[in-house]
């Protein structure tokens, strides 16, 4: 079976649907210790250029969010996965 490859624009609709509600209810899995918890339960540090979320269990940086003029940077390198309950 041949794979069909398209560019990243294909993600636009899917990501718009995913992030159109309160993401803090999503369950994240920490890359460091494997703890699973809602994002609302992480420790967030605000004395940085943006927001830094860390695992309450091991201190692993889960995500970084930085706002700039007309743009946002989101790094979720510390999350193994993010489980979202999508309204049907």
């Amino acid at each position: 079976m041949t794979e069909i490859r398209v560019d990243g624009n294909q993600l636009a609709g899917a990501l718009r649907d995913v992030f159109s509600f309160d993401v803090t209810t999503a369950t994240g899995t920490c890359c460091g210790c494997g703890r699973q918890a809602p994002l609302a339960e992480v420790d967030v540090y605000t004395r940085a250029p943006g927001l830094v979320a860390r695992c309450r269990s091991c201190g692993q940086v889960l995500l970084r969010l930085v706002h700039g003029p007309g743009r946002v940077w989101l790094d979720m390198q510390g999350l193994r996965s993010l489980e979202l309950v999508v309204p049907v």
Side-chain angles (χ1 to χ4, degrees):
M1 183 177 241
T2 305
E3 288 186 47
I4 298 173
R5 182 173 41 191
V6 296
D7 67 19
N9 289 309
Q10 186 68 32
L11 295 170
L15 288 175
R16 183 183 60 240
D17 293 341
V18 169
F19 291 112
S20 65
F21 60 93
D22 185 4
V23 178
T24 62
T25 62
T27 299
T29 302
C30 176
C31 283
C33 67
R35 179 179 190 249
Q36 294 181 321
L39 287 184
E41 295 181 11
V42 301
D43 292 328
V44 178
Y45 297 85
T46 59
R47 291 188 177 249
L51 300 175
V52 176
R54 291 183 174 268
C55 175
R56 280 196 179 164
S57 181
C58 71
Q60 167 81 29
V61 173
L62 300 174
L63 67 83
R64 295 175 195 93
L65 177 66
V66 177
H67 283 270
R71 61 184 70 205
V72 174
W73 291 267
L74 178 60
D75 170 12
M76 299 191 312
Q77 187 173 331
L79 287 170
R80 183 180 306 149
S81 65
L82 188 61
E83 179 183 352
L84 304 153
V85 177
V86 180
V88 286

